[in-house]
Amino acid sequence: MSSLSRELVFLILQFLDEEKFKETVHKLEQNSGFYFNMKYFEDEVHNGNWDEVEKYLSGFTKVDDNRYSMKIFFEIRKQKYLEALDKHDRSKAVEILVKDLKVFSTFNEDLFKEITQLLTLENFRENEQLSKYGDTKSARAIMLVELKKLIEANPLFRDKLQFPNLKNSRLRTLINQSLNWQHQLCKNPRPNPDIKTLFVDHSCGQPNGARAQSPANNPLLGSLPKAGGFPPLGAHGPFQPTPAPASAPLAGWMSNPSTVTHPAVSGGGAIGLGAPSIPAALKHPRTPPPNPSVDYPSGDSDHVAKRARPMGISDEVNLPGNLLPVSFPGHGHGHGQTFSALDDLPKAVVRTLNQGSSPTSMDFHPIQLTLLLVGTNVGDIGLWEVGSRERLVLRNFKVWDLNACSMPLQKDLVKDPGVLVNRVVWSPDGSLFGVAYSRHIVQICSYHGNDEVHQHLEIDAHVGGVNDVAFSTPNKQLCIITCGDDKTIKVWDASTGKKLHTFEGHEAPVYSICPHYKENIQFIFSTALDGKIKAWLYDNLGSRIDYEAPCRGCTTMAYSADGTRLFSCGTSKDGESFIVEWNESEGAVKRTYLGFRKRSLGVVQFDTTKNRFFGCW
């Protein structure tokens, strides 16, 4: 088989694994013989699925291929035989002896006779070499250690123990690129092509029957995909007018999966009745692959640092004096002409509102635009009518139903009652607002105008701090999305508080969430304290992307007001701050904004207004 054909098998293996076709994955591994999945092999041995263990091995080696292979099969069949004896299943033991172990009598007749004599003992542990045989679980574990060493030393497994270093969904990416390339060859490409099959080349059919121009004459060949081109390949099949899961903004965001190396060792070994006799060269432990540890802030101690405000900022809210224009390159590839937005922004503070404690989060009402919701570093909630400078509501932090809270939360509040607000946010219609606190809970209040604020839901959402809260409407159902120090994202029914989804996969506390939709696809971006960006659909199939923000630290994401451009803003542990715009189709940074990498004492936050400005503080 050619090298490219072999690589295609790996791409198919990756695709099948991502689509959760587990049995097919292992069948293809076995049939092709290109990749020996050590993790799968270990699981089957631990579970005692001996027929599947031998069947899987048969795709890579046979009993009489070499000394290593013979010893591998012998140890497996010997363990199966001893387990039958341990269960006092004599008929099964005899069957294994005749069908599975007799083949080894040709190579060591005395050993076969000794194995046969075990049938006469009430307990095979009476045999001196087997006196230290423990229970089944421990015996399998001991045997597996030796099997792995034999497999790594076996020349037939060389170059088959490590999966290639591929970006996620590599096969989908290649198909997407091919379709975009075919679309570029269309004489009159449609803005939103309707692709119903991958079985034939794509062309945008024209009424006059025009044919696509040849690649040799096409000036677009090799250029980036056109705007408004194909949405990337869906999770299970062809393109559809309503895309299948794995939407356009997600499919390009891919990173390298972790790989585990299996260094080969040399040497052979004799077959024995007791524990396998392995020469010294096989007994050296493998050196683990480098895995530098990463320091993540702890969930309990660093919730104040994560939302820390720069020194010198008072308890006053200045509007709009904290809106800072940022000059940025013109359209293109990040090197266009710069311009200043200063002339388009007010230069004077319009209102100064004295909240009484330091604001940590603010959000304007989506309809009554002069209503400002404010959360503070002591857990207070304020609602301001900015036009009249009147504070309509001031509420101190209070758990509504302490008995309904988890014991960890109750203990935390007794130990340290201090709570700060990590996020306040209005629902899309302004009838609800959510408050995420630094201790476990989210409170959802209903707003009925003026100073009428009522309790709606109190959710014990996360273990540790709740770092962000947002509203979304998947399938036209209003939902609450939260993330927290326990490294999870959760989705809740906004009416009942019932948990609908839990998304796991981050390796550090989740710092922020950004729900959005495109082309009828609802998804959620999430960022963690280690700078990892992931995206989720409202299902249980895991993260669709795994990417790293430039700052490799606390990062928030936001779309422009028209939903067409995606930005992120973040601050590294060293205090450097970044604002970038992302190319959604490729998962790459499209543009980095200049003049913003100043050291910060806190975490820089931002917002988008209209389509031209960033607000940063």
Side-chain angles (χ1 to χ4, degrees), residues 15 18-19 169-176 233-236 246:
F15 173 81
E18 291 173 341
E19 296 302 311
S169 303
R170 178 61 183 160
L171 184 58
R172 280 205 194 100
T173 301
L174 291 174
I175 293 174
N176 292 334
L233 185 60
H236 289 287

Side-chain angles (χ1 to χ4, degrees), residues 354-358 372-385 390-398 421 433 437 445 447 450-453:
N354 188 358
Q355 175 66 27
S357 52
S358 298
L372 178 65
L373 186 65
V374 180
T376 77
N377 66 343
V378 295
D380 292 345
I381 300 298
L383 181 61
W384 292 84
E385 167 51 59
E390 180 184 3
R391 183 164 61 189
L392 303 175
V393 175
L394 174 62
R395 293 200 172 185
N396 300 323
F397 170 74
K398 179 183 178 182
V421 174
F433 64 81
Y437 291 99
C445 298
Y447 179 62
N450 297 320
D451 60 351
E452 285 194 55
V453 173

